[in-house]
Structure formats: structure tokens, C-alpha cells
Amino acid sequence: MTLAQAVIEGADPEELLRAEVPPVYRAAHIRREEVGMFGRAPHGTMGVDKDVRRSLHVGEVPMPELAPDEVLVAVMASAINFNTVWSAMFEPIPTFAFLERLGRSDPRHDLDTHVLGSDASGVVVRKGAAVRQWHVGDRVVTSPAYVDSEDPVAHHDSMLAADLRAWGFETNFGGLAEFAVVKATQLLPKPRHLSWEEAACNMLCASTAYRMLVGEHGSRMKQGDVVLLWGATGGLGAYGVQLVRNGGGIPVGVVSSREKAELLRGMGCEYVVDRTDFEHLDDEKAWRRFGAEVRRQVGEDPAIVFEHTGRETFGASVYVAKKGGSVVTCGSSSGFDHAYDNRHLWMKLKRIIGSHGANYQECAEVNRLIALGAIHPTLSRVYPLERAADAARAVQTNEHVGKVGVLCLAQGEDLGIEDHALRERIGEDRLRLFRS
Ligand code: NAP
């Protein structure tokens, strides 16, 4: 029996250890020889349409050796994150540059194929000699923060570590594959009431949103805070909305269609702004109309603005935050060259907070909320691994809501659920809200 078959059949740890690790495995990857196929975008912009279906391939890649602090995970399911879209567009820089840099200390990563993907659920099938807390057969989800724990600052906040990397973006051997290599410090227990694909889709976006909103390094949301969230039914935003509600805040969600507005209301988000009512959000007149709409609905300005949309929205974000409020940002989907009127920042004593990913503790905290049934997956569609490029294209073109999942070794949807009682208590309507 192959190792993949053993995992699919739910083999026990002894059987998993008897099955041989294959020399190659199937994975969604980009190729070094194709860097440059789309040309370069003008500085700070997205440029022309760089269709990721042309650059993202699924095929066999070599299986790497395991380092002592790593585990090999048989991936049951994964999910698309925007970083896979960036990698497959070779923007803002080709991710092979990250692999080259990492390759100076760990040559295994510097290959002509880059296996992408920063989320996964699966089963531990091998572990390195230094791994103590995790065992073959454990059912896990992965955190995307790939950190060398020998850096002292990593023990304060691993996101400050000099060598912090996003797994499957700045490292090789990511999650959109049959197998993935992760550090033991990326592992968390799989929430038992979720299917493989529901469990796989959460960690990167939920943990990033958690650090931005709740964590001591982010905007430290308080009960009753009004929080404006861009892309409120997108990957990050839909976890953001849930975290705001769960923490006693008042979410104001921004979306771009009536259907998304309905979905947002279905999540219990009472205040919704359709950004298509504000043609260009890049001048002060539009910011003022946008701010007036938020104030008309909620009666006050947001204490926190949850930003990741970048160039096209940042000026409005700085403008609408209340006096003393903050704009917390982790990305720039519409371009990273932001412009805003600094008078609104300094005169109103606002703060801009940069945030990136989440440390292991923050990941564990949000994974616990998911396992308790307080925060739910936002999975809307699932593709087989062969169609990973179509899944990434759906995210690239903003056709999706919530998260787009990818089945890797899982032989179908809705498998891997262990705690049916919790599932029943939460209700399928809440767990599958984004699938309708
Ligand atoms: P996503 O699933 O594509 O969602 C983004 C949402 O933003 C969309 O649903 C869309 O909603 C909205 N949007 C897109 N373009 C917009 C524009 N020009 N103006 C206003 N809203 C716009 O992506 P995601 O997973 O949430 O990620 C969002 C960004 O955050 C990406 O750039 C990603 O790289 C970054 N990110 C960073 C980190 C980190 O750790 N630093 C982690 C996760 C994500 P509507 O069309 O409904 O408005």
C-alpha cells in the first residue's frame, strides 16, 4: 500500500510508518523558467491581467528530505490564499527570489519548481528527530508562520524574527499538494467538528485577522468598538467580521454587490456599505460621502479600519477612522503605492498599524475559537487539486466569497468529521453559510 493510500484509508500510525515515503508527489507549482512570462507591472500597481491559469501547474515534484524540526504532512485539503495569486503572477517579485535567499541556509528549497499554498489540513506521516509534541497519525491544521525558533526575538513575538517566512510563499513545499513539509511549530490540532476542507481553509486568514483586530500587536479592539472592514465577505474580511462580533464590537462591512451584502447580513453584520455606490474612492469628496454614509448608518465614525485593499481605499480609510482611531493594514490588493492626506492622520491623532500574519500563540488562540465553534469556516467552493489553477483564478478575479478550498488527498467533500454532536449544536446553516 502506498503512503497516500494508507492515509486515505485511515491507517493507524504503525501502518503509516510501514508505508514508504514516495520519491515524488503531485503538487500545484510555478516554474522558474516561466518567470517573466507576463512582463513587469508599473511600480506599485497590478498591471495588465496576468492569468494565473497560465503559470500555475499541477504535476510531480521531488520529495524533499525532512529536517529534524520538521514533519511531513499528508495533505487532505488546502485552500487558496491571495499569496498564491501573487506568486503565480510573479508579483510584486518572483517568489523564486525568496527560495534563493532561503536556499543559502537550506538548499533544499532552492528548486526550479515552487510548490505553493499556505494552508492545509492533514495527517502527520513522518516527523524529524527533534519533534516532541506531535506524532505520526495526528490530525492537524497548519499555521503559515515559518520561523527559526533559535532567533531570540521569536520567543517574544515570532513575527519579528529576522527569518520569518510565509510557508508556501517564501518557502517551498507548501500545502497545495499531496504532501507538505512544515516545521513542528506550525502544527495545530484539527478542529474535530470540521471536514478536511472546512478545517483547511481557516488558518492563514483567520489568524491574520485575529492579530489585526484582537491581538496585543494589532488594534486591540474593545467591546463596543465600531470596526469598518473592507472586503467583508472576502478571505480576511469574513473572519474579521466574525471576530468583531464575537468580541463585542460593531462591524461595518464594505462589499461590492447586493448578493455579498445579503451574505454579510446573514452573518449578523447589520451595517453594510456597497462600495459600488462610491465610484472613485481616491479623492476627498468621495471619502467625505463614504464617511457620511457610515455615520448615517451607525451614528459614529469607526474606531478601527481593517485594511488590506491598499491604493484604492487607503485614503478613505485614513479619513473615515475616528479621532484617535486606527487603520490596521496587512496588504495592498489594489496596489501598494498608497496616497492619503496626512493632515487627517496627525490632526486627528490617528494611527496606522502594520500587521503581518500571526505568531504561533495567536494562531493557537484563533484555532481554539474555531474548535469551540465560536468562529466558523467561510468555505464557499471546493476544487480538486488538478484544478488548483482554476481555484486561484476565481480568487484572482474576485469571483469568490470567503475561502476557496482545494481537495488534495481527500477523496470527496464532507470527510474527516469526528465531532458530529458539536456540528449539530452549531447547525449546518451556520457552518455552510458561505456555500449557499
Ligand atoms: P480576497 O479573498 O480576494 O478578499 C479581498 C476582498 O477585498 C474582496 O472580497 C473584495 O471584496 C475586496 N476588494 C478587492 N479589491 C478591492 C478594491 N479595489 N477596493 C475595495 N475592496 C476591494 O483576499 P484576502 O484573502 O482577503 O486577502 C486580501 C489582501 O490581504 C491580499 O492582498 C492579501 O495578499 C493580503 N493578506 C495579507 C496577509 C498578511 O499576513 N500580510 C494575510 C492575508 C492576506 P468586494 O469586492 O466585495 O468589496
Side-chain angles (χ1 to χ4, degrees), residues 128-334:
V131 178
R132 298 176 306 282
Q133 309 281 354
W134 299 94
H135 305 287
V136 169
D138 286 349
R139 294 169 151 225
V140 294
V141 293
T142 54
S143 123
Y146 179 97
V147 180
D148 182 350
S149 56
E150 288 177 18
D151 185 342
V153 77
H155 295 265
H156 167 64
D157 175 14
S158 58
M159 300 315 289
L160 298 178
D163 70 335
L164 164 75
R165 292 183 165 89
W167 166 66
F169 177 62
E170 292 166 292
T171 79
N172 216 324
F173 321 130
L176 286 165
E178 293 174 335
F179 293 93
V181 175
V182 298
K183 286 187 183 279
T185 49
Q186 290 177 252
L187 295 178
L188 294 159
K190 171 189 167 287
R192 288 165 48 81
H193 65 295
L194 299 181
S195 66
W196 291 115
E197 62 278 11
E198 288 167 344
C201 73
N202 306 306
M203 194 45 61
L204 186 143
C205 280
S207 65
T208 302
Y210 184 83
R211 182 178 172 107
M212 289 170 77
L213 290 167
V214 184
E216 59 180 309
H217 309 286
S219 53
R220 306 177 79 146
M221 190 197 86
K222 298 194 297 296
Q223 293 183 32
D225 275 351
V226 174
V227 183
L228 181 98
L229 302 106
W230 294 101
T233 58
L236 281 171
Y239 292 103
V241 168
Q242 293 187 67
L243 288 164
V244 170
R245 292 194 73 232
N246 196 51
I250 301 164
V252 184
V254 186
V255 287
S256 64
S257 70
R258 196 175 303 157
E259 293 75 23
K260 288 181 177 180
E262 277 315 302
L263 177 59
L264 201 46
R265 290 194 185 96
M267 294 174 75
C269 180
E270 202 182 324
Y271 303 114
V272 179
V273 180
D274 188 332
R275 70 179 165 100
T276 59
D277 293 340
F278 302 86
E279 254 176 36
H280 294 289
L281 276 168
D282 52 6
D283 73 69
E284 180 143 356
K285 279 193 199 123
W287 305 343
R288 284 184 186 279
R289 281 195 295 117
F290 185 80
E293 175 57 18
V294 174
R295 221 169 297 130
R296 185 189 69 77
Q297 288 195 34
V298 194
E300 56 182 288
D301 294 328
I304 300 168
V305 180
F306 182 86
E307 247 289 343
H308 48 86
T309 35
R311 186 187 180 99
E312 288 179 18
T313 58
F314 205 81
S317 294
V318 171
Y319 175 81
V320 298
K322 78 169 188 184
K323 192 166 186 177
S326 57
V327 177
V328 58
T329 174
C330 76
S332 294
S333 297
S334 65

